[in-house]
Amino acid sequence: MKILSVVGARPNFMKIAPFIRAIEKHNLGNEYQIQHILVHTGQHYDVRMSEAFFTELNIPDPDINLEIGSGSHAEQLGYTMIAFEKVLIEHKPDWVVVVGDVNATLACSVIAKRLNIKVCHIEAGLRSGDMSMPEEINRLVTDRLSDLLLTPDPISSDNLRKEGTPEDKIHFVGNIMIDTLEANRERASKLSIEKIIEENLAHGTNYPDKLPLDSEFAVMTLHRPSNVDDEIVFSNLINFLLNDVTKENMLIWPIHPRAKKQLKTVGLWNKVLSHPSLILLEPIGYYEMVRLNIGAKIILTDSGGLQEECCILGTPCLTLRWNTERPITLRENGGASVLVGNDIERIRKEYYHTLSLNRKPSRPELWDGKTANRIVKLLYEIGCKPDISVLQSIFV
Ligand code: UD1
């Protein structure tokens, strides 16, 4: 049985690493081997956005890299589809496995279905209800096309049921991101904050006069078009950081290329670089991000993965969005996050309130570090295991 899985952008790498490990584990003890091919579309291509994660998370080099690179959504989708069709025609897998909600997820599931190849979607059923998010469109189309929809929580399974997805296609397997977190958090916790800062300072930044200790710093990440691309929204957010956040705490900001570009465009790059309480880093590695999360007093983010990691680690989190496809991570549902959108008054109020909160780890059902094993077992049961009745009829 041949499975071809696809990664394209940074948040995919943490999801595919445990899946590959689970296939290797399956193959060790089973005479029916799963043959696995890894395709990287190349949407994220910087060493810090891509290659570093392969090394750190011990992901084998991709068998195929489509080298799509940057571009408009249409360009990324179109070029990926053209290149991926050739890969599928050559390799003829039984299953295509896609993860998450990035452009690679959508492009590859569409082409697989066009070629009558079965699609399995890991992290199915997430819905923000916000059709202005490219990721929401990617999720909707991918789920509509998928043959096997593997959900991280019961809310996501219900979303699929409400949309009319047949029950036998939906399987609640847990959150595969947490497999990676649990496999690596102990090692990550041993990293030194000082070293993380030293090794990742953004180009042009001076080494900070004072380094923060655990619980003395905030962490921010920002990359969504809704926060970054609008100059007014973005500038207001940056001024809030400079005027409020850094008054209470040192702020560590590993910056995404999209945000870096915009800081320069709106003329705030030098102000941010020279601020004594703001430590600007290049994109950092997985262990480093987990270490910052473990030590942070508070996290401000628009990343979906960080909301989930904050939930398990208990870090109070302000989600800089008006909605989330991961409601299970919200404080009202027992998690550590609160939605604050990008309205500065609302962010300020929640920021000061959240500073008074303690860490409160919580673990949603099946976020137990064993999701990848469940997925591989399921794929094997459903798609890989030879049909016993056929075998029996041959031998009668
Ligand atoms: C993508 C995903 C998003 C995910 C995010 C994590 C989609 C629609 N969005 O958004 O779901 O949360 O990744 O990072 O797939 N760039 C570089 N170096 C790189 C990659 C990108 O400089 O290695 C630049 C690009 O030129 C572009 C910008 O960063 O200008 C944004 O990249 P893009 O791939 O369009 O989407 P992300 O915002 O990263």
Side-chain angles (χ1 to χ4, degrees):
M1 177 64 57
K2 201 192 267 188
I3 296 178
L4 186 150
S5 60
V6 179
V7 289
R10 187 169 58 177
N12 290 166
F13 308 138
M14 301 75 151
K15 293 168 195 160
I16 217 66
F19 177 66
I20 294 178
R21 209 141 308 127
I23 291 180
E24 287 165 358
K25 196 170 143 201
H26 165 95
N27 282 346
L28 271 181
N30 207 308
E31 68 181 287
Y32 300 109
Q33 299 281 296
I34 299 175
Q35 189 190 343
H36 180 248
I37 299 171
L38 180 62
V39 175
H40 188 339
T41 66
Q43 178 179 343
H44 282 178
Y45 47 88
D46 284 352
V47 172
R48 281 175 174 272
M49 297 290 286
S50 175
E51 199 182 310
F53 290 86
F54 277 74
T55 312
E56 211 176 7
L57 299 176
N58 219 354
I59 306 172
D61 287 341
D63 298 288
I64 299 154
N65 192 323
L66 307 181
E67 296 182 352
I68 299 307
S70 301
S72 68
H73 289 294
E75 285 168 333
Q76 284 188 352
L77 292 170
Y79 292 136
T80 304
M81 286 185 188
I82 293 166
F84 192 61
E85 183 182 48
K86 296 191 179 94
V87 170
L88 290 186
I89 290 170
E90 184 186 340
H91 292 275
K92 300 183 181 48
D94 300 291
W95 284 89
V96 166
V97 172
V98 292
V99 294
D101 55 21
V102 304
N103 287 333
T105 315
L106 168 66
C108 296
S109 50
V110 170
I111 291 305
K113 282 317 286 178
R114 291 303 295 255
L115 293 175
N116 275 326
I117 296 169
K118 282 178 283 193
V119 174
C120 165
H121 184 203
I122 300 179
E123 207 185 74
L126 272 64
R127 296 290 181 268
S128 67
D130 178 357
M131 291 296 279
S132 69
M133 284 177 78
E135 293 85 355
E136 183 74 354
I137 299 166
N138 294 348
R139 289 180 204 117
L140 277 165
V141 179
T142 303
D143 284 344
R144 186 69 186 83
L145 296 177
S146 293
D147 300 276
L148 194 54
L149 296 103
L150 307 181
T151 67
D153 54 61
I155 303 174
S156 302
S157 300
D158 282 344
N159 290 338
L160 294 172
R161 286 184 192 109
K162 279 183 217 148
E163 289 170 10
T165 308
E167 193 61 38
D168 62 337
K169 288 186 174 184
I170 306 170
H171 295 265
F172 165 41
V173 293
N175 188 339
I176 201 163
M177 282 284 279
I178 306 307
D179 289 21
T180 302
L181 180 63
E182 291 303 346
N184 297 293
R185 70 192 272 189
E186 199 186 323
R187 192 169 153 197
S189 69
K190 300 200 170 91
L191 296 186
S192 105
I193 299 287
E194 187 181 343
K195 212 154 172 232
I196 295 174
I197 293 172
E198 208 175 277
E199 289 177 357
N200 296 286
L201 265 188
H203 190 65
T205 319
N206 292 325
Y207 195 72
D209 295 336
K210 179 175 165 267
L211 288 175
L213 299 172
D214 276 339
S215 304
E216 286 183 355
F217 60 90
V219 172
M220 188 182 73
T221 78
L222 205 61
H223 75 278
R224 295 215 176 262
S226 55
N227 285 327
V228 175
D229 291 359
D230 184 303
E231 293 191 11
I232 296 172
V233 168
F234 184 68
S235 303
N236 287 343
L237 279 170
I238 303 306
N239 285 322
F240 168 72
L241 300 178
L242 299 177
N243 298 332
D244 288 71
V245 178
T246 51
K247 213 168 20 176
E248 302 292 326
N249 289 288
M250 299 280 283
L251 173 67
I252 305 179
W253 180 8
I255 194 162
H256 185 279
R258 180 185 283 277
K260 187 179 199 174
K261 217 182 277 176
Q262 187 69 319
L263 264 186
K264 291 180 177 169
T265 307
V266 299
L268 286 167
W269 176 248
N270 286 332
K271 205 168 164 189
V272 165
L273 272 191
S274 59
H275 195 290
S277 297
L278 198 160
I279 303 173
L280 199 64
L281 305 180
E282 298 293 344
I284 55 177
Y286 180 77
Y287 290 116
E288 293 168 327
M289 194 67 224
V290 172
R291 176 64 186 91
L292 291 187
N293 196 336
I294 290 170
K297 172 97 184 111
I298 184 170
I299 288 196
L300 298 93
T301 188
D302 58 7
S303 145
L306 265 175
Q307 287 170 54
E308 296 174 340
E309 287 155 358
C310 285
C311 180
I312 294 292
L313 298 172
T315 319
C317 172
L318 299 189
T319 299
L320 300 164
R321 292 175 48 190
W322 293 111
N323 48 56
T324 178
E325 59 290 332
R326 295 167 164 89
I328 202 156
T329 64
L330 293 177
R331 243 181 249 163
E332 65 211 52
N333 296 324
S337 305
V338 60
L339 293 174
V340 292
N342 49 26
D343 174 81
I344 300 302
E345 278 319 307
R346 179 162 171 175
I347 298 174
R348 184 177 289 119
K349 190 166 154 258
E350 281 294 345
Y351 173 69
Y352 287 105
H353 169 65
T354 303
L355 281 182
S356 67
L357 302 178
N358 291 324
R359 291 188 156 266
K360 189 177 157 284
S362 73
R363 189 177 294 278
E365 192 185 351
L366 296 189
W367 291 27
D368 57 1
K370 295 176 185 152
T371 293
N373 289 338
R374 281 190 284 273
I375 293 175
V376 170
K377 187 161 179 274
L378 193 65
L379 269 167
Y380 176 68
E381 298 288 337
I382 292 177
C384 304
K385 211 154 105 177
D387 187 336
I388 301 293
S389 59
V390 174
L391 284 181
Q392 281 167 346
S393 66
I394 292 171
F395 292 114
V396 163

